[in-house]
Amino acid sequence: MRITGISTHVVGTPWRNLTYVLVHTDEGLTGVGETRMLGHTDALLGYLREAEANHIAGSDPFAIEDLVRRMKYGDYGRAGEIVMSGIAVVEMACWDIKGKALGVPVWQLLGGKVTDKVKAYANGWYTTERTPEGYHKAARAVVERGYRALKIDPFGTGHLELSHRDSLYAVSLIEAVRDAIGPDAELMLEMHGRFAPATAIRLAHELAPFRPAWLEEPVPPENLKALEKVAAKVDIPIATGERVHDRIEFRELFESQAVDILQPDVGHLGGIWETRKLAATAETHYMMVAPHNVGGPVLTSASLQVGFTTPNFKILEHFNDFADAEIKKVVKGAPQVVDGYFQLSHAPGLGVELDTDAAAEFPQRQARFDLWADGWERRVPAPRGGAS
């Protein structure tokens, strides 16, 4: 079996574009992969056109490790977010082809299951009025839907510092959310790399009474010493990793021991097998894995293949019941959350199929997501120029 070519389909929403890639073979089998780019969709499509000619066409879709290595190193230049995302979508599709050809789900090819279900946490649910009352109502709807975990960034447009007034308001939002979801549900606290260490530490202490399950990206991701400073002074587990795009670059995070939960994005890290390798290394450092997952149903399914086979897999992020929920119809067999969990699927490959006709109903958009703009949490287009 050989790859004859690829085709790309971009599903657009106001704040994100989802890129789907179909990998075609000479035996009629087709696999699908997906990633989500912020502001770089056209760059990804351009890379994939070149990679198709240079690496992908003519390759054996079963020889996944070989194809990934050629795509990563065969152009000599250091692979970054765009290249690793291009690798990821093709890699996922090859696993999908391999599973379909052998009649087994991808998780079976990764060593078999270690669990029958993966816990989900909700994100994208707070696209509502930014008030304690609005967030209380929205959070209550999440748990009524069966979720037992959710995540929130309550810090507005905070950057490096947060004023006393804004800090009190953020605390009031978290207090309302905790009251809505009850004492047993997990509440993940997202900082999006906003703060200097002193501010992150102060806010962590102020929000500790509401028992956050983790503190995510408390400082910008470029400076591990800053992260170590935060980790040394807070008791809340630290989560990070979504903006690290190469498995090898996690080495310093492991060495620092400043992180408790790794958050690789399967769609940016080079795909399913690269993420599974990373998870195995994390296991030797007694760290949990909770992939960043802001994509659609195909990326969710790919992430679940890792989850069902990984002993130290904690939980999986899920947007698609809340923000842009209508995009679920572009994929047949989209994973569903039932009573707070994704259930094991025995469907061959990734267990999902892209409906290209449905995808065409959501054309590519000039999607923008600006965390420094007022109202970013509503996930509607930010005005050019950022925050006012």
Side-chain angles (χ1 to χ4, degrees), residues 136-358:
H136 189 285
K137 181 178 179 180
R140 187 64 196 161
V142 173
V143 294
E144 287 175 350
R145 195 163 185 160
Y147 281 85
R148 303 173 190 181
L150 51 74
K151 187 166 77 179
I152 181 174
D153 175 344
F155 303 109
T157 60
H159 184 219
L160 294 181
E161 293 186 315
L162 198 67
S163 70
H164 179 64
R165 179 181 178 181
D166 288 342
S167 297
L168 290 176
Y169 198 73
V171 170
S172 75
L173 295 175
I174 294 300
E175 182 178 24
V177 171
R178 173 54 78 188
D179 181 72
I181 66 177
D184 297 328
E186 288 189 277
L187 173 56
M188 286 73 175
L189 190 61
E190 167 75 273
M191 288 187 168
H192 280 123
R194 293 185 179 280
F195 299 120
T199 301
I201 292 164
R202 173 178 62 79
L203 289 169
H205 290 159
E206 292 174 359
L207 292 164
F210 306 107
R211 296 183 297 106
W214 71 50
L215 190 67
E216 182 170 338
E217 273 201 330
V219 295
E222 298 87 1
N223 186 341
L224 282 184
K225 290 295 184 182
L227 187 67
E228 291 174 25
K229 184 176 180 179
V230 175
K233 295 186 177 182
V234 302
D235 294 328
I236 303 167
I238 300 294
T240 195
E242 70 180 68
R243 288 189 270 184
V244 182
H245 305 129
D246 189 328
R247 173 172 53 90
I248 297 169
E249 292 176 2
F250 277 86
R251 177 182 58 80
E252 293 181 15
L253 275 174
F254 288 127
E255 291 174 351
S256 74
Q257 288 288 302
V259 182
D260 303 285
I261 299 135
L262 293 185
Q263 298 177 293
D265 189 312
V266 179
H268 294 321
L269 194 73
I272 292 169
W273 189 230
E274 286 294 286
T275 306
R276 184 63 188 90
K277 289 178 182 178
L278 178 69
T281 306
E283 188 179 7
T284 69
H285 290 79
Y286 314 125
M287 295 178 183
M288 302 297 288
V289 174
H292 178 252
N293 178 39
V294 192
V298 173
L299 185 54
T300 297
S301 179
S303 301
L304 286 171
Q305 307 307 312
V306 179
F308 291 130
T309 63
T310 301
N312 55 321
F313 196 98
K314 177 177 174 62
I315 197 167
L316 183 63
E317 185 172 20
H318 195 226
F319 269 80
N320 298 325
D321 281 337
F322 304 98
D324 310 321
E326 66 274 12
I327 66 167
K328 286 193 292 185
K329 73 177 186 179
V330 309
V331 171
K332 299 174 182 176
Q336 303 295 326
V337 176
V338 179
D339 295 329
Y341 289 85
F342 294 103
Q343 302 297 322
L344 187 74
S345 169
H346 292 272
L350 295 178
V352 291
E353 296 289 344
L354 178 68
D355 184 335
T356 56
D357 291 334

Side-chain angles (χ1 to χ4, degrees), residues 39-104:
H40 302 148
T41 298
D42 289 337
L44 174 65
L45 297 177
Y47 165 71
L48 286 169
R49 283 194 297 271
E50 292 191 72
E52 179 181 18
N54 294 335
H55 304 298
I56 302 168
S59 293
D60 177 359
F62 273 40
I64 298 170
E65 181 85 24
D66 176 67
L67 178 56
V68 166
R69 288 189 65 80
R70 286 190 286 111
M71 291 179 72
K72 183 176 180 182
Y73 297 112
D75 297 325
Y76 186 69
R78 184 175 178 180
E81 179 186 22
I82 292 167
V83 170
M84 295 307 294
S85 300
I87 292 172
V89 288
V90 173
E91 191 260 13
M92 288 178 216
C94 287
W95 281 112
D96 192 28
I97 290 167
K98 194 168 189 176
K100 289 173 180 175
L102 298 175
V104 296

